[in-house]
Amino acid sequence: MAEAAERVTDIGPPNYQQFLPPIIKANYGKWKYHEILKPGVMMHVAESGDRLYTVRAAGARLMSVWKIRQIADLADKYCGGHLRFTSRHNIEFLLTDESLIDPLIDDLKALGHPVGGIGNSISSIVHTQGWIHCHSAATDASGIVKAVMDEVFPHFANRDLPAKLRIALACCLNMCGAVHCSDIAILGVHRKPPRTDHETLNKLCEIPNVVAACPTAAIRPAQVDGKESVQVIEEQCMFCANCYTVCPAMPLNDPENDGVSIWVGGKVSNARHEPMFSKLLVPYIPNNPPRWPEVTGTITKIIDLWARNARNYERLGEWIERITWPKFFELTGIPFQKEHIDDFKHAGLTFKRSTHLVH
Amino acid sequence: MAEAAERVTDIGPPNYQQFLPPIIKANYGKWKYHEILKPGVMMHVAESGDRLYTVRAAGARLMSVWKIRQIADLADKYCGGHLRFTSRHNIEFLLTDESLIDPLIDDLKALGHPVGGIGNSISSIVHTQGWIHCHSAATDASGIVKAVMDEVFPHFANRDLPAKLRIALACCLNMCGAVHCSDIAILGVHRKPPRTDHETLNKLCEIPNVVAACPTAAIRPAQVDGKESVQVIEEQCMFCANCYTVCPAMPLNDPENDGVSIWVGGKVSNARHEPMFSKLLVPYIPNNPPRWPEVTGTITKIIDLWARNARNYERLGEWIERITWPKFFELTGIPFQKEHIDDFKHAGLTFKRSTHLVH
Amino acid sequence: MAELPETPLLDELEKGPWPSFVKEIKVAARHKEACRDLLGQLERSYREKIGHWKHGGIVGVLGYGGGVIGRYSDLPEDFPAISHFHTLRVNQPSGWFYTSEVLRKLCDMWEEHGSGLTNMHGSTGDIILLGTSTPELEPTFKGLTDLGFDLGGSGSDVRTPSCCVGPARCEWACYDTLKLTYDLTMSYQDELHRPMFPYKWKFKMAGCPNDCVASIARADMSIIGTWKDDIQQNDEEVKKYAEAGLDIQRDVVENCPGRCMSWDGEKLTIDNRFCRRCMHCINVMPKALAPGKERGATILIGSKAPIVEGALLSSVFIPFMNPDDPEEVAELKEIVEEIWDVWSEEGKNRERVGEFIQRVGMGNFLEAIGMEPVPEMVAHPRENPYVFYALDEEEEEDEDEDE
Amino acid sequence: MAELPETPLLDELEKGPWPSFVKEIKVAARHKEACRDLLGQLERSYREKIGHWKHGGIVGVLGYGGGVIGRYSDLPEDFPAISHFHTLRVNQPSGWFYTSEVLRKLCDMWEEHGSGLTNMHGSTGDIILLGTSTPELEPTFKGLTDLGFDLGGSGSDVRTPSCCVGPARCEWACYDTLKLTYDLTMSYQDELHRPMFPYKWKFKMAGCPNDCVASIARADMSIIGTWKDDIQQNDEEVKKYAEAGLDIQRDVVENCPGRCMSWDGEKLTIDNRFCRRCMHCINVMPKALAPGKERGATILIGSKAPIVEGALLSSVFIPFMNPDDPEEVAELKEIVEEIWDVWSEEGKNRERVGEFIQRVGMGNFLEAIGMEPVPEMVAHPRENPYVFYALDEEEEEDEDEDE
Ligand code: SRM
Ligand code: SRM
Ligand code: SRM
Ligand code: SRM
Ligand code: SF4
Ligand code: SF4
Ligand code: SF4
Ligand code: SF4
Ligand code: SF4
Ligand code: SF4
Ligand code: SF4
Ligand code: SF4
């Protein structure tokens, strides 16, 4: 117990102040305005007149320490060793010398981390673990993200869109990527009810918790082959996997039936329109590794349509709302199915309760 | 049974065509445009050039046959015996001779049926039976309607409002007046749980139906004094009276605690904004017959505020939506209480899920 | 005849400019004992702040399950003339058109058999004959049918359909609301008079999206006129409105929910691809704009008052059809009857069709009645990921694999 | 070191302009056995279209209930080096600011004790140290604390708070997001490290309504900067934007959700009484417009992902307070702790606070924590008439009567 006493705990994170670059310390809370100078580069001007140049490089999110060291080297070379990461996992270099911007961009490119993502562009995809680390995944995360970003890369490297476009991915309905409010969301889905392992269930799990976990009350306690276990009423299961989260003996993973769904029209910012949830566009696309071409194809199609038709500053969901969903389905050619119609708790509120239709 | 065979049944209503005035028969479906000539009077011009003048008189809704005969006399005198009623229970005289408009208006006035209600005005109040005929009423209908219409009468007789304003009244939560989509709705409310008559309940009602009738599951089967009956968990009761509708042994009427609530901001038309439900403004005002001054006072206050501040064509609910509800509460001075916050099924969707606030 | 009772509270409601229902009852009370007692009982309600009617009671006319609302005073000793005081719901003619002649005949009949009090009209649309005794029900019914009238609905049946004035007097009517109302009423006489559903079913017909009969708020099936092609536009008349002082930018363009109009001070441009058929611009400039020529209606389903699951608005069911085409009406009736079958089979007691659809899910409901989902049915697709993936789809895949 | 496994499928993901996670793993695989096995197992997942990790497993460091996610391969025979492969969640510094120096030290530590793979960062905001074995957990923890770092949250505890860059680099920050984040993190070390709630609790701090940290979508408490007074306006700069080609009417005025702006071609007028603080006009013209001077934040409550009751957005809880004022922060903390008490007492297992509020009702929740309802909390008042009239009100009346 002597050891435990020595142990340092609950110190919390390092104080951020020690990591702020001098120009930020000097102008903290005193920024006046900013301008985007070119793709991936912006300038913040302080009340003091100081100018801070930010160069944003694509983040890999999954990075090795060997790469991080290279990035640290660039920070030393260009901006006194100062850098930050963004809320979407990009890397930002904070420069005071405008003339160093282009050399930095070249070095970043050489390192495989092109710059972009600032302004009306696509930034990197917020995502999750997938087959890299999670037991729950209905699809991979990093692989689709890479495939999609390769495809939409011109919109990261340029500012050629009507507004920002945010893509997110979550590999199961737990939605760790918080994809529920994204312009475009890719969501891993199961489509088969849990396969209950009656042998082990009672040992691994508390049956009342398992029963309580099911939002549709599809799970009932049951004796199977003389063992206390549970029974799933399959027609009542909508594959949320909450039972699996609380009980390892009820896996849903299934190579043939797992896959992804695509959701569109969410947003988070309060700019213009209040925040919105994403809505179902494509209920199911089978997993097709390594490059998920049906997923990337669908996404680029949506982006192209939006980029060509939306007004300035109109986020994807705002555009769809203006032209109406039937028109959007017509433009995309995606078939409208039973699955698109909500049948969960608030379903009735999503019905079209007016005659505001375009014909 | 011979008698039954003679009996005429299922003949349906008379065919409307026999009641249409000649000018309407001639121009049926061929109207070109209309103009409001003055309060309560409009002209419809047909493709043929024919002109039809409509004079709209206040409807009493509750009318005696002696009054209806007088109205029939006016129809004979001014428009060949043709008249109609409107969907809000007003009376419309259909004239072809423009010069007869003013004499008709004078005669109507003398009869106690002033004209108005066309255009951006208040029309008569859609309402229900109240103490005149219904067992369920938490308030009277005709009495409050009369009191309110007397008070807002200038807005019926003139076209001095930003848009139409529709008032409706229902004397209990069954909402026969369909008040749920009105600019201003007056709704009779109970505030005490049912008083169960355990003596008669089992004779008058099916206990399973009574239990099933309660939306909050507040009713349970119970033995009371040796009789099969039901028990109401009072904290779970929100006084909807659905139990009373299915079972006479569970009345809620209570002179001290019944009263009215006031709701605002609903609409039905698709013009501009999609149809909207009315929202709770004043949870409770005690019944104060014969003229319910607190009700009329609240309503005139709301109308004045709206009339002074709204933009052209902005219905009450559209105006409130633009200025936001907190601002509206501030302007009216009506206190915001726990009762205003939804706690029924879709409550969460009525929370303010953005930072779109006026401060 | 006896004196009228003292009614100091009700007398207050004889004052003021709005027509007074108290005056109406008093006139009737000079002729009718029942109306005298009604006055007395109502004054008592005003004093005690409580109604004095007993709960329901099943009365009616032979062979009909609806159309009469039974009503008994809870103070029969004090007010014996209204110890029964039932109302009859009488099916109005489409659009509430009358001649003085037919009204007088109705009045005579009702003076003979009942209280002489009416509602012109009830909020569903019927003529309400307000108050008579049980023995007078059959004679009243006979009197009605002699005049060519019939009872309306009450209970778990089709309720009296009603409609806006439509093509009879309105330039915006996109279909013949009166004709469809009459047609549906006549087709469903049996369903109207003999309750056979889980709960009531209301039809309401409005000629255009202004919805002057509030159908979207209170009809299990709301039939609302609309159009498919471009708004008819007369630029000369637009200019005249502007010259007359209408602020077209502020009052018209900025109020367009489709955000599809623009005004350059000279010319109004409508991008009709995105027009939502809301009527606003047309309402404001009736001489300059009009609905298109390819007219029809949107069929919506499911509205109702709040009891039990909360109020509902009707929602889009068939985005566009033409109710003036008899074939399309025949198809519509087939669909309606299919819905009634499914709902009668699977609906719970006192479950309106809107509640039924929410309970079983719109997708399942459509499958049960054999219709395809279309995007017009929803304001937006689902936001939650709780998808019941269709099993037959998977079966198809399985089959593919087997091959 | 051994050869890298054959990964024909993964190799495809080395191509293309976006940084490749496969390249990262391959670099690490040259140094680390575990990364080689990770590569092998991932290739297998790509081939078989299924993950190969077992369900959870409770591991951790001494005295902490969270911060480590246990993970075991389900193919331990084939990939023994990842038979355990736990991740550590490391609390990032506010705003994700680093120096190259501290990053290098972290790298060295993690190369020594783990796989050398990271996520910069996890989607809650932590530094994710991706994969190590059970025996290495304590040494890694020691390595971290030696560098001044500590673990983040996992399980039913306070999760690692995070924030936007705020006043460090953004002209729109209405309060000091970094400071508040650090303050809350330090105040709640115990709650962060020792799960004691019904479920997780997330704080996210955004400096203005643009919400660059998506707090409204994924934080049990979302603290979003805003202002009270008028937008700061520089008319000269507005004109310059117009001259430079910005269509102020179409792109700014017509996009204003408060409909409170007008532009006459010369002067922009904002009726600030109805400005909703949405940021749009400011975003479009950052040189001309800025948030007002009386700045602070709106506190919102309850967002979360869809499991179990459907996703929620946070909703307004305190319309305006100033997080830069230590006294107001102290009050906020009291409220937060009060909420935790009530929720811990009454919340169900795995019920997030947003779900809890919906279950018990916002009104009751406010009463329980001793706060008053304000209209800012709702988008609109209730639409259904199902009001639980407060009993104490009635009791008061009864009392009046007794007197
Ligand atoms: C760096 C970062 C904050 C951080 O602490 O890391 C940031 C920084 C800025 N944001 Fe942001 N935003 C950042 C994530 C977000 C997010 C969160 C997210 O994407 O998950 C949002 C909400 C997105 C949504 O609504 O779904 C966000 C919505 C905005 C908006 C509103 C855009 C809109 O019209 O809806 C603005 C205003 C604008 O762009 O004009 C904005 C503006 C800005 C400005 C201009 C603020 C400033 O004056 O410095 C910064 C540069 C903008 C840019 O990237 O175009 N920022 N911004 C985040 C960069 C992420 C990245 O790497 O791409
Ligand atoms: C006569 C009547 C139809 C009937 O068959 O009986 C009718 C007739 C007309 N309505 Fe209506 N409306 C009638 C009830 C309604 C209703 C239903 C209701 O009030 O319960 C509505 C929906 C109300 C709502 O949204 O809550 C209604 C919403 C409209 C609107 C849309 C107004 C808006 O801006 O929301 C218009 C367009 C307008 O006024 O510019 C309209 C326009 C008209 C026009 C101008 C149509 C025309 O060209 O003939 C008619 C005269 C208008 C007037 O009264 O100002 N009518 N109108 C109804 C008269 C009721 C009364 O006695 O007051
Ligand atoms: C007479 C009338 C009110 C009036 O004064 O105009 C009326 C009167 C009654 N309604 Fe109604 N309803 C009347 C139109 C409505 C409407 C409006 C409409 O049809 O457009 C509604 C709302 C729309 C709807 O259908 O949802 C309406 C929704 C109800 C309800 C709630 C139904 C629901 O599903 O939520 C009930 C309760 C019930 O059915 O048990 C009800 C029940 C009743 C009963 C039968 C009372 C009962 O619980 O048994 C009332 C009889 C009163 C009496 O003694 O005469 N009444 N009722 C209306 C019928 C007149 C007519 O035929 O023209
Ligand atoms: C690592 C991370 C994903 C990532 O790659 O970035 C993650 C990974 C997991 N999350 Fe998460 N969540 C992560 C951020 C989130 C977020 C986003 C956020 O915090 O902003 C959400 C949505 C927001 C929210 O809290 O609602 C999120 C919502 C969930 C949920 C659903 C919770 C709910 O109330 O709906 C679960 C299920 C659970 O808690 O049992 C879950 C559970 C899990 C578990 C622990 C799996 C499980 O069922 O036990 C995952 C472990 C994966 C692994 O093996 O490492 N994770 N999780 C994120 C944490 C990194 C970090 O600390 O920085
Ligand atoms: S979204 Fe699901 S599968 Fe992906 S990391 Fe989160 S819990 Fe795991
Ligand atoms: S997957 Fe979800 S719906 Fe299906 S049984 Fe499990 S908890 Fe219930
Ligand atoms: S609203 Fe209620 S009290 Fe009034 S008539 Fe209808 S059922 Fe009777
Ligand atoms: S009044 Fe309504 S809530 Fe109360 S017991 Fe009766 S049915 Fe239930
Ligand atoms: S609903 Fe349309 S068609 Fe019918 S009366 Fe009203 S405006 Fe005319
Ligand atoms: S009808 Fe409505 S949506 Fe169509 S152009 Fe006119 S105002 Fe716009
Ligand atoms: S949320 Fe506001 S303050 Fe924070 S970075 Fe974004 S724009 Fe700046
Ligand atoms: S901040 Fe938003 S609401 Fe306020 S004036 Fe600007 S655009 Fe309008």
Short mmCIF file of all heavy atoms in Angstrom, two decimals, chain B residues 10 28 34-35 64 67 69 76 87 92 133 140 146 180 244 291, chain C residues 12 15 18 24 46 71 85 100 104 169 171 176 193 212 287:
data_model
loop_
_atom_site.label_atom_id
_atom_site.label_comp_id
_atom_site.label_asym_id
_atom_site.label_seq_id
_atom_site.Cartn_x
_atom_site.Cartn_y
_atom_site.Cartn_z
N ASP B 10 -82.38 6.25 -45.62
CA ASP B 10 -81.16 6.32 -46.42
C ASP B 10 -81.33 7.09 -47.72
O ASP B 10 -80.77 6.70 -48.75
CB ASP B 10 -80.62 4.90 -46.68
CG ASP B 10 -80.28 4.17 -45.39
OD1 ASP B 10 -79.23 4.50 -44.80
OD2 ASP B 10 -81.08 3.33 -44.93
N TYR B 28 -71.14 28.37 -62.50
CA TYR B 28 -70.55 27.34 -61.65
C TYR B 28 -69.16 26.95 -62.18
O TYR B 28 -69.00 26.56 -63.34
CB TYR B 28 -71.47 26.11 -61.66
CG TYR B 28 -71.21 25.13 -60.53
CD1 TYR B 28 -71.83 25.28 -59.29
CD2 TYR B 28 -70.37 24.04 -60.72
CE1 TYR B 28 -71.61 24.38 -58.26
CE2 TYR B 28 -70.14 23.13 -59.69
CZ TYR B 28 -70.77 23.29 -58.47
OH TYR B 28 -70.55 22.40 -57.46
N HIS B 34 -62.35 37.89 -57.24
CA HIS B 34 -63.29 38.55 -56.34
C HIS B 34 -62.64 39.80 -55.77
O HIS B 34 -61.40 39.96 -55.83
CB HIS B 34 -63.70 37.61 -55.21
CG HIS B 34 -62.64 37.45 -54.17
ND1 HIS B 34 -61.57 36.59 -54.32
CD2 HIS B 34 -62.45 38.07 -52.98
CE1 HIS B 34 -60.79 36.67 -53.25
NE2 HIS B 34 -61.29 37.56 -52.44
N GLU B 35 -63.47 40.64 -55.23
CA GLU B 35 -63.00 41.86 -54.58
C GLU B 35 -63.84 42.08 -53.35
O GLU B 35 -65.05 41.82 -53.38
CB GLU B 35 -63.26 43.07 -55.50
CG GLU B 35 -62.03 43.62 -56.16
CD GLU B 35 -62.42 44.72 -57.16
OE1 GLU B 35 -63.16 45.66 -56.77
OE2 GLU B 35 -62.00 44.61 -58.31
N SER B 64 -83.64 30.06 -33.37
CA SER B 64 -84.98 29.48 -33.28
C SER B 64 -85.60 29.47 -34.68
O SER B 64 -85.19 30.22 -35.57
CB SER B 64 -85.84 30.33 -32.36
OG SER B 64 -86.07 31.58 -32.98
N LYS B 67 -86.65 32.88 -35.85
CA LYS B 67 -85.60 33.71 -36.47
C LYS B 67 -85.30 33.24 -37.89
O LYS B 67 -85.15 34.03 -38.81
CB LYS B 67 -84.33 33.66 -35.59
CG LYS B 67 -83.09 34.28 -36.19
CD LYS B 67 -83.18 35.75 -36.51
CE LYS B 67 -83.27 36.69 -35.35
NZ LYS B 67 -82.23 36.61 -34.35
N ARG B 69 -87.17 31.95 -39.98
CA ARG B 69 -88.22 32.42 -40.90
C ARG B 69 -88.00 33.88 -41.28
O ARG B 69 -88.20 34.27 -42.44
CB ARG B 69 -89.60 32.24 -40.26
CG ARG B 69 -90.02 30.78 -40.16
CD ARG B 69 -91.39 30.65 -39.52
NE ARG B 69 -91.76 29.26 -39.31
CZ ARG B 69 -92.13 28.74 -38.12
NH1 ARG B 69 -92.18 29.53 -37.04
NH2 ARG B 69 -92.44 27.48 -38.02
N ASP B 76 -85.98 36.24 -49.46
CA ASP B 76 -87.00 36.45 -50.48
C ASP B 76 -86.98 37.89 -50.98
O ASP B 76 -87.04 38.15 -52.18
CB ASP B 76 -88.40 36.16 -49.90
CG ASP B 76 -88.63 34.66 -49.77
OD1 ASP B 76 -87.93 33.89 -50.46
OD2 ASP B 76 -89.53 34.26 -48.98
N SER B 87 -68.93 27.93 -43.34
CA SER B 87 -68.30 26.91 -42.50
C SER B 87 -68.05 27.43 -41.08
O SER B 87 -67.71 26.67 -40.19
CB SER B 87 -66.99 26.44 -43.13
OG SER B 87 -66.08 27.51 -43.21
N GLU B 92 -74.96 33.90 -45.42
CA GLU B 92 -74.58 34.67 -46.60
C GLU B 92 -75.76 34.83 -47.55
O GLU B 92 -76.39 33.86 -47.96
CB GLU B 92 -73.40 33.98 -47.32
CG GLU B 92 -72.10 34.13 -46.55
CD GLU B 92 -70.88 33.58 -47.27
OE1 GLU B 92 -71.04 32.74 -48.18
OE2 GLU B 92 -69.77 34.01 -46.93
N HIS B 133 -76.40 21.81 -23.93
CA HIS B 133 -76.81 20.45 -24.29
C HIS B 133 -75.84 19.33 -23.94
O HIS B 133 -76.19 18.16 -24.10
CB HIS B 133 -77.16 20.36 -25.77
CG HIS B 133 -78.07 19.22 -26.09
ND1 HIS B 133 -77.63 17.99 -26.52
CD2 HIS B 133 -79.42 19.10 -25.99
CE1 HIS B 133 -78.65 17.19 -26.69
NE2 HIS B 133 -79.76 17.83 -26.38
N ASP B 140 -69.54 26.86 -20.24
CA ASP B 140 -70.57 27.04 -21.25
C ASP B 140 -69.89 27.38 -22.59
O ASP B 140 -68.71 27.74 -22.63
CB ASP B 140 -71.54 28.14 -20.86
CG ASP B 140 -72.72 28.20 -21.83
OD1 ASP B 140 -73.14 27.12 -22.32
OD2 ASP B 140 -73.21 29.30 -22.13
N LYS B 146 -70.70 34.68 -26.98
CA LYS B 146 -71.42 35.96 -27.05
C LYS B 146 -70.60 37.07 -26.38
O LYS B 146 -70.41 38.16 -26.94
CB LYS B 146 -72.79 35.78 -26.37
CG LYS B 146 -73.54 37.04 -26.02
CD LYS B 146 -74.22 37.68 -27.21
CE LYS B 146 -75.10 38.86 -26.74
NZ LYS B 146 -74.95 40.04 -27.58
N HIS B 180 -58.11 22.96 -31.81
CA HIS B 180 -56.67 22.72 -31.72
C HIS B 180 -55.85 23.41 -32.79
O HIS B 180 -54.63 23.38 -32.74
CB HIS B 180 -56.38 21.22 -31.68
CG HIS B 180 -56.97 20.46 -32.82
ND1 HIS B 180 -58.32 20.20 -32.91
CD2 HIS B 180 -56.41 19.91 -33.91
CE1 HIS B 180 -58.56 19.50 -34.03
NE2 HIS B 180 -57.41 19.32 -34.63
N TYR B 244 -64.68 9.39 -18.27
CA TYR B 244 -66.08 9.77 -18.14
C TYR B 244 -66.82 9.55 -19.47
O TYR B 244 -67.98 9.11 -19.48
CB TYR B 244 -66.18 11.24 -17.71
CG TYR B 244 -67.60 11.75 -17.54
CD1 TYR B 244 -68.51 11.08 -16.74
CD2 TYR B 244 -68.00 12.92 -18.17
CE1 TYR B 244 -69.81 11.55 -16.59
CE2 TYR B 244 -69.29 13.41 -18.02
CZ TYR B 244 -70.20 12.72 -17.23
OH TYR B 244 -71.47 13.19 -17.09
N ARG B 291 -70.39 36.83 -18.10
CA ARG B 291 -69.65 37.46 -19.19
C ARG B 291 -68.15 37.17 -19.17
O ARG B 291 -67.41 37.76 -19.96
CB ARG B 291 -69.94 38.96 -19.26
CG ARG B 291 -71.42 39.27 -19.61
CD ARG B 291 -71.64 40.65 -20.21
NE ARG B 291 -71.19 40.72 -21.60
CZ ARG B 291 -72.00 40.68 -22.66
NH1 ARG B 291 -73.30 40.61 -22.50
NH2 ARG B 291 -71.51 40.74 -23.86
N GLU C 12 -78.06 39.29 -19.02
CA GLU C 12 -76.86 40.06 -19.38
C GLU C 12 -76.40 39.74 -20.80
O GLU C 12 -75.74 40.56 -21.45
CB GLU C 12 -75.71 39.74 -18.41
CG GLU C 12 -75.89 40.31 -17.02
CD GLU C 12 -75.93 41.83 -17.05
OE1 GLU C 12 -75.09 42.44 -17.73
OE2 GLU C 12 -76.84 42.40 -16.40
N LYS C 15 -77.55 41.74 -24.09
CA LYS C 15 -76.95 43.02 -24.45
C LYS C 15 -75.83 42.84 -25.47
O LYS C 15 -75.32 41.74 -25.64
CB LYS C 15 -76.39 43.69 -23.19
CG LYS C 15 -77.44 43.94 -22.11
CD LYS C 15 -76.79 44.40 -20.80
CE LYS C 15 -77.82 44.45 -19.67
NZ LYS C 15 -77.18 44.51 -18.34
N TRP C 18 -73.49 41.50 -30.77
CA TRP C 18 -73.52 40.18 -31.41
C TRP C 18 -74.88 39.52 -31.20
O TRP C 18 -75.49 39.71 -30.15
CB TRP C 18 -72.39 39.31 -30.79
CG TRP C 18 -72.11 38.08 -31.62
CD1 TRP C 18 -72.41 36.80 -31.28
CD2 TRP C 18 -71.52 38.03 -32.90
NE1 TRP C 18 -72.03 35.95 -32.28
CE2 TRP C 18 -71.48 36.69 -33.30
CE3 TRP C 18 -71.02 39.01 -33.79
CZ2 TRP C 18 -70.96 36.26 -34.52
CZ3 TRP C 18 -70.50 38.60 -35.00
CH2 TRP C 18 -70.47 37.25 -35.37
N GLU C 24 -82.85 34.16 -28.62
CA GLU C 24 -83.43 33.07 -29.41
C GLU C 24 -84.21 32.10 -28.52
O GLU C 24 -85.33 31.71 -28.83
CB GLU C 24 -82.34 32.29 -30.17
CG GLU C 24 -81.57 33.11 -31.19
CD GLU C 24 -82.43 33.57 -32.37
OE1 GLU C 24 -83.23 32.75 -32.88
OE2 GLU C 24 -82.33 34.76 -32.75
N TYR C 46 -75.65 28.72 -14.87
CA TYR C 46 -74.87 29.95 -14.77
C TYR C 46 -74.64 30.32 -13.31
O TYR C 46 -73.59 30.84 -12.95
CB TYR C 46 -75.56 31.09 -15.53
CG TYR C 46 -75.08 31.18 -16.96
CD1 TYR C 46 -75.20 30.09 -17.82
CD2 TYR C 46 -74.44 32.32 -17.44
CE1 TYR C 46 -74.72 30.15 -19.13
CE2 TYR C 46 -73.96 32.39 -18.74
CZ TYR C 46 -74.11 31.30 -19.58
OH TYR C 46 -73.62 31.36 -20.85
N ARG C 71 -80.29 12.87 -24.57
CA ARG C 71 -79.89 13.80 -23.50
C ARG C 71 -81.02 13.92 -22.48
O ARG C 71 -82.19 14.05 -22.83
CB ARG C 71 -79.58 15.18 -24.11
CG ARG C 71 -78.95 16.14 -23.15
CD ARG C 71 -77.59 15.69 -22.65
NE ARG C 71 -76.55 15.72 -23.66
CZ ARG C 71 -75.61 14.76 -23.76
NH1 ARG C 71 -75.61 13.72 -22.95
NH2 ARG C 71 -74.67 14.86 -24.66
N PHE C 85 -84.38 15.51 -23.81
CA PHE C 85 -84.16 16.67 -24.68
C PHE C 85 -83.10 16.28 -25.72
O PHE C 85 -81.98 16.76 -25.72
CB PHE C 85 -83.70 17.87 -23.83
CG PHE C 85 -83.84 19.21 -24.51
CD1 PHE C 85 -85.10 19.72 -24.88
CD2 PHE C 85 -82.72 19.98 -24.78
CE1 PHE C 85 -85.21 20.97 -25.49
CE2 PHE C 85 -82.83 21.23 -25.38
CZ PHE C 85 -84.08 21.73 -25.74
N SER C 100 -85.33 29.77 -49.24
CA SER C 100 -86.21 30.19 -48.13
C SER C 100 -87.34 29.17 -47.97
O SER C 100 -87.77 28.86 -46.86
CB SER C 100 -86.77 31.59 -48.40
OG SER C 100 -87.31 31.64 -49.71
N ARG C 104 -88.25 27.20 -44.53
CA ARG C 104 -89.55 27.38 -43.86
C ARG C 104 -90.21 26.04 -43.56
O ARG C 104 -90.78 25.81 -42.50
CB ARG C 104 -90.48 28.24 -44.70
CG ARG C 104 -90.16 29.71 -44.59
CD ARG C 104 -91.34 30.57 -45.01
NE ARG C 104 -90.84 31.92 -45.27
CZ ARG C 104 -90.38 32.31 -46.46
NH1 ARG C 104 -90.38 31.48 -47.50
NH2 ARG C 104 -89.91 33.54 -46.60
N ARG C 169 -69.00 29.36 -55.79
CA ARG C 169 -68.75 30.79 -55.70
C ARG C 169 -67.28 31.16 -55.59
O ARG C 169 -66.95 32.31 -55.32
CB ARG C 169 -69.50 31.38 -54.49
CG ARG C 169 -69.67 32.88 -54.61
CD ARG C 169 -69.96 33.54 -53.29
NE ARG C 169 -69.07 33.12 -52.23
CZ ARG C 169 -69.38 33.16 -50.95
NH1 ARG C 169 -70.55 33.60 -50.56
NH2 ARG C 169 -68.51 32.75 -50.05
N GLU C 171 -63.38 31.32 -57.13
CA GLU C 171 -62.56 31.20 -58.34
C GLU C 171 -61.38 30.26 -58.15
O GLU C 171 -60.72 29.88 -59.12
CB GLU C 171 -62.04 32.59 -58.75
CG GLU C 171 -61.01 33.23 -57.81
CD GLU C 171 -61.62 34.11 -56.73
OE1 GLU C 171 -62.74 33.79 -56.24
OE2 GLU C 171 -60.98 35.11 -56.35
N ASP C 176 -64.65 20.03 -57.91
CA ASP C 176 -66.04 20.30 -57.51
C ASP C 176 -66.30 19.68 -56.13
O ASP C 176 -66.66 18.52 -56.00
CB ASP C 176 -67.00 19.74 -58.56
CG ASP C 176 -68.42 20.23 -58.33
OD1 ASP C 176 -68.75 20.64 -57.19
OD2 ASP C 176 -69.21 20.19 -59.29
N HIS C 193 -75.28 5.65 -41.51
CA HIS C 193 -76.39 5.45 -40.58
C HIS C 193 -76.23 4.27 -39.64
O HIS C 193 -76.97 4.15 -38.67
CB HIS C 193 -77.70 5.30 -41.39
CG HIS C 193 -78.07 6.55 -42.12
ND1 HIS C 193 -78.53 6.58 -43.40
CD2 HIS C 193 -78.03 7.85 -41.73
CE1 HIS C 193 -78.77 7.83 -43.77
NE2 HIS C 193 -78.46 8.62 -42.77
N CYS C 212 -60.92 26.21 -46.48
CA CYS C 212 -61.96 26.97 -45.78
C CYS C 212 -62.92 26.08 -45.00
O CYS C 212 -63.86 26.60 -44.37
CB CYS C 212 -62.73 27.84 -46.77
SG CYS C 212 -61.72 29.14 -47.48
N LYS C 287 -56.60 39.11 -58.82
CA LYS C 287 -56.83 39.47 -60.22
C LYS C 287 -55.64 39.11 -61.09
O LYS C 287 -55.77 38.98 -62.31
CB LYS C 287 -57.07 40.98 -60.35
CG LYS C 287 -58.45 41.41 -59.93
CD LYS C 287 -58.68 42.84 -60.38
CE LYS C 287 -59.89 43.41 -59.66
NZ LYS C 287 -60.07 44.83 -59.94
#
